[in-house]
Amino acid sequence: MTDTATPPRAGRREWAGLAVLSLATLMITFDMFVLLLALPHLSADLRPTSVEQLWILDIYGFMVGGFLITMGSLGDRIGRRRLLLIGAAFFAVASLVSAWSSSPEMLIVSRAVLGIAGATLAPSTLALISNMFPNPRQMGTAIGMWAGSFTLGAILGPLAGGLVLQYFWWGSVFLLGVPVMVLLLILAPMLVPEFKAPDGGRLDFASAGLSLAAVLAFIYGLKEVSRNGFEVAPVIVGLLGITLGVMFVRRQRSLADPLMDLTMFRSKSFSTMLVGLLLYGMVGATSMLYITQFFQSVAGMTPLESALALLPGMAAATISAMVSPILGRRFRPAYLIGIGLLGVVATFAWFTQISAASSPVELIIGFAVIGACDGPLLALGTNLVVGAAPPEKAGSAGSLVQTSNEAGAALGVAVLGSVGAVIYRQELTGEIPAEVPATVARAAEENAATAVAVAADLPAEVGSALVAAARQAFSDGLNVFSGVSAVVLVIAALFIMIQLRHVPPMGDEEGSDGNTDGGSAPSAERPAEPVAGSSPS
């Protein structure tokens, strides 16, 4: 019998399986970025209304966020590899339908199916990694590579999408994911063992419905607030989502076999890192939005140039996510994560000095520094969440990691994005030239991109003055957003360093209890039982 203090090390088959699993996670971000490049082309062909265009953009993320919790729990019950293969098959079919969509409605439906399929990928792959790599140090390295594949997808998406769009029609960008999913369907049964909870029980459909409705309503309400302000309808929808979330939690407490095991939150490592990922998700997603808007609306870069300008930061984030687990073997994760976050804080302090005259190179460098500093949070934080959960609940734990990221992004765009928008309007209002018509002025006050667009129809001198005022007002909003973000991340860094200061380096058994005390290194417990006829090695 293997000593639980020295769990078995993974072999070549597991590492090859990890490469296959990384293909699945790479496609999640790859698909998001290629759509942004294809949007102008498909809009010219399908001619969607403004509302339909928003749904084409948003429906994928809505479905991913809404189904994550359900899919994580479902994988624990029916088999994580089985769910991954089902999701990959649907992802390939939905990609084909998206490529040859003949109407906006058809594309919206196919993107919704893509989102549901995408929701199976992240929790299934993360849960399988936790079973394939029972050795804590190897698990940390594997999760770092898994996290790095997300940013790798964001790097390859603009490059491959831009290249394909130069020679083929807009639907070709959706076909790029089909051979990847076919390869996954062929290789995963050979290299990735099946795992499921020994006593998984039946899926509670009422809980699944409540979690789906709660997440969709909450994220939809936040997105609409971020776009249109605090109007009655989106606020009510958002509050409905919170109410349904409370009902979901209460139902979980009453079930013998809940969809989400709330006892996992008793672990300091688990709960602290979910809060940390949520807070960072608020800042990270919104900062990318501000940076890309600065590139296009202030620096005058094209969408493709803006995407390429993000690549150094994406590359830094990929490397950082893979290197962080190696550092985590020597240093306590709380300190690595905290110091990394303070590096991000320093960058946002720098961004408070950005002006309309600043070179985009400053933001390119700053974004690269952010990518290099956030690796410990994303890699080690994910490792701590999954390692603190029982092996049979790894799918649920993985889904909560992604749900924290999704909810944080939605919250950040709605709250922190609104802060910058308010500053923009306040600063611009008093600087609009008197010669600008009232209707044009109101349009310019919406955002900097609109201001630049409407200025083109004005006399040259007046238009230039409006553009200059809008660019400086946007820069002022970026300054305030950066200051607020720095404060949020200082709080997150201190919270993590205090709460998890006793968690030892990965693989170090010092002070490890795995549950309710000062947190723990990833658990070295026995993996969930593989299904009959399958072996983890």
Side-chain angles (χ1 to χ4, degrees), residues 356-379:
S358 298
S359 168
V361 173
E362 294 186 47
L363 287 173
I364 293 172
I365 294 172
F367 186 63
V369 173
I370 291 173
C373 291
D374 67 11
L377 172 72
L378 301 179

Side-chain angles (χ1 to χ4, degrees), residues 451-470:
V452 172
V454 298
D457 299 326
L458 298 173
E461 186 176 345
V462 177
S464 296
L466 176 60
V467 168

Side-chain angles (χ1 to χ4, degrees), residues 73 77 202-209 251-252 255 257-259:
S73 181
R77 287 167 163 78
R202 300 182 62 182
L203 187 71
D204 180 49
F205 289 99
S207 294
R251 181 171 179 83
Q252 302 317 291
L255 294 175
D257 185 24
L259 188 71

Side-chain angles (χ1 to χ4, degrees), residues 395-477:
S396 294
S399 71
L400 287 171
V401 170
Q402 293 304 108
T403 301
S404 289
N405 290 330
E406 293 284 339
L411 270 171
V413 172
V415 178
L416 299 180
S418 297
V419 170
V422 169
I423 299 299
Y424 170 80
R425 294 190 188 99
Q426 288 179 349
E427 296 297 320
L428 182 63
T429 300
E431 300 296 328
I432 295 177
E435 298 86 352
V436 176
T439 54
V440 175
R442 283 195 294 271
E445 289 173 354
E446 289 298 317
N447 53 66
T450 302
V452 172
V454 298
D457 299 326
L458 298 173
E461 186 176 345
V462 177
S464 296
L466 176 60
V467 168
R471 286 174 171 172
Q472 187 54 53
F474 177 84
S475 300
D476 292 340

Side-chain angles (χ1 to χ4, degrees), residues 184 299 336-337 382 428 453 494 517:
L184 176 65
L336 283 175
I337 293 169
T382 300
L428 182 63
L494 293 176
D517 294 333

Side-chain angles (χ1 to χ4, degrees), residues 66 95 116 148 226 237 244 296 298 385 389 402 431 436 457 473 491 514 523:
S95 296
I116 297 172
S226 68
V237 172
L244 292 172
Q296 295 180 49
V298 179
V385 171
Q402 293 304 108
E431 300 296 328
V436 176
D457 299 326
I491 294 171
S523 174

